[in-house]
Amino acid sequence: HLRLPWTVEGSLTPDPLNPDRVNLAVTARGPTESAGPSLTGWANVATGQVSARLRDINLDAGMEGLLPGPVREWWRRHEIGGSIEIPEITVDPLDKTGKRDFRVVANFTGGRLSLRPEELRPKDATPLPPGLPSIRFQDVRGKLTFTRQGIELSGMSLVHEGNTLHVSGRTEGYSFQTAPMEVTLRCDRLVIPEKPAVVPSLPPEAREVYDRFIPSGEGKMAFSFRRDAQGLFAIDGRLDITRGRMAFERFPFMCHDV
């Protein structure tokens, strides 16, 4: 159920080319009579299939309730909000197995999201200390496509600690610790602070590399993250320091202009 402090006005009109289809055009107005989100699309009264497009939507106001269940749960878990347009929501009726196909396209034009530290770890890894903060990203841009099979990330860019990260890839399913996934991440102009806030949340392999060298300064990086159907997690990557500082566990003195 979705309860919002808005007045809804619009129209439902029969489709002249399809007697089973009803065309939708709905606009919501807030308490100040300002225009809110609008929805256009259609519903097939015979099959129950719905296809819609949302504009000027503020998902911070609780409108994620319009999304299919798996998408809504993923949306809330990753604290998604900000400037987002949803040009497509298509929901099919239940099939014989009791499942439902759907497709949701979300275009980020300055949104935000967060990532929980445990999502970057194998499911059988040593539990993280309680209370670790989520990794928060701002100025998120690009496209997320949600289907029953999983999520596709296309042309995504995210800002964290002043660095713009470029992300692409896909997941198979929505389980945040077990869904198979292939994701690549790169940053062409990386600035590493002396004490990055993200370090406690890194996977153990990445944390081990950081603790060995304690790098800071400027550079670039590229990493790939993979998880198979058994939940086994693998990371490959490279961090290039072009102008920075670092130490080494066997030579514990800080080197400059590396």
Side-chain angles (χ1 to χ4, degrees):
H1 299 282
L2 186 65
R3 296 182 179 179
L4 298 170
W6 292 328
T7 300
V8 177
E9 57 187 38
S11 63
L12 304 177
T13 57
D15 189 322
L17 302 178
N18 187 336
D20 293 329
R21 183 177 290 186
V22 176
N23 295 322
L24 315 171
V26 179
T27 300
R29 295 189 177 276
T32 62
E33 295 300 317
S34 60
S38 63
L39 179 151
T40 57
W42 53 264
N44 190 308
V45 296
T47 65
Q49 186 182 32
V50 177
S51 180
R53 177 187 180 96
L54 292 169
R55 288 184 173 178
D56 301 322
I57 184 170
N58 179 8
L59 289 157
D60 295 339
M63 287 200 69
E64 74 273 7
L66 294 171
L67 302 172
V71 182
R72 181 170 62 250
E73 293 174 13
W74 194 93
W75 205 276
R76 289 173 175 169
R77 187 167 65 241
H78 293 87
E79 302 176 288
I80 291 177
S83 179
I84 305 165
E85 182 180 281
I86 301 182
E88 180 183 354
I89 298 180
T90 301
V91 181
D92 290 346
L94 295 173
D95 60 20
K96 294 181 179 180
T97 66
K99 296 182 179 180
R100 187 190 305 275
D101 281 329
F102 58 83
R103 177 180 168 88
V104 177
V105 176
N107 291 331
F108 287 71
T109 56
R112 64 180 182 273
L113 63 82
S114 66
L115 190 66
R116 295 184 180 185
E118 58 267 27
E119 295 184 79
L120 297 174
R121 296 169 65 83
K123 63 179 180 180
D124 57 351
T126 303
L128 291 168
L132 287 180
S134 297
I135 306 170
R136 301 187 183 279
F137 301 96
Q138 304 295 328
D139 196 21
V140 179
R141 299 177 183 274
K143 183 170 74 172
L144 289 178
T145 302
F146 302 86
T147 65
R148 191 172 91 178
Q149 290 72 34
I151 308 167
E152 182 177 350
L153 302 86
S154 305
M156 299 289 293
S157 67
L158 316 89
V159 175
H160 178 70
E161 292 192 280
N163 294 304
T164 299
L165 311 176
H166 301 277
V167 183
S168 61
R170 61 184 178 84
T171 72
E172 298 177 13
Y174 290 82
S175 173
F176 70 92
Q177 271 192 301
T178 61
M181 59 176 279
E182 287 190 24
V183 175
T184 61
L185 178 151
R186 66 177 174 83
C187 181
D188 299 325
R189 299 183 63 183
L190 177 68
V191 177
I192 308 173
E194 292 187 359
K195 294 182 179 180
V198 72
V199 169
S201 303
L202 292 174
E205 299 85 354
R207 176 67 185 270
E208 180 183 357
V209 173
Y210 177 84
D211 289 342
R212 283 185 176 184
F213 297 98
I214 317 178
S216 62
E218 301 175 11
K220 60 182 180 179
M221 69 174 183
F223 284 87
S224 65
F225 303 85
R226 296 186 305 278
R227 181 164 51 217
D228 64 19
Q230 286 71 45
L232 298 177
F233 199 77
I235 301 175
D236 294 311
R238 175 170 177 160
L239 171 64
D240 294 324
I241 304 295
T242 56
R243 182 178 156 189
R245 300 169 297 279
M246 63 172 33
F248 182 57
E249 58 185 354
R250 297 182 183 178
F251 184 76
F253 300 98
M254 189 62 65
C255 301
H256 297 266
D257 295 324
V258 177

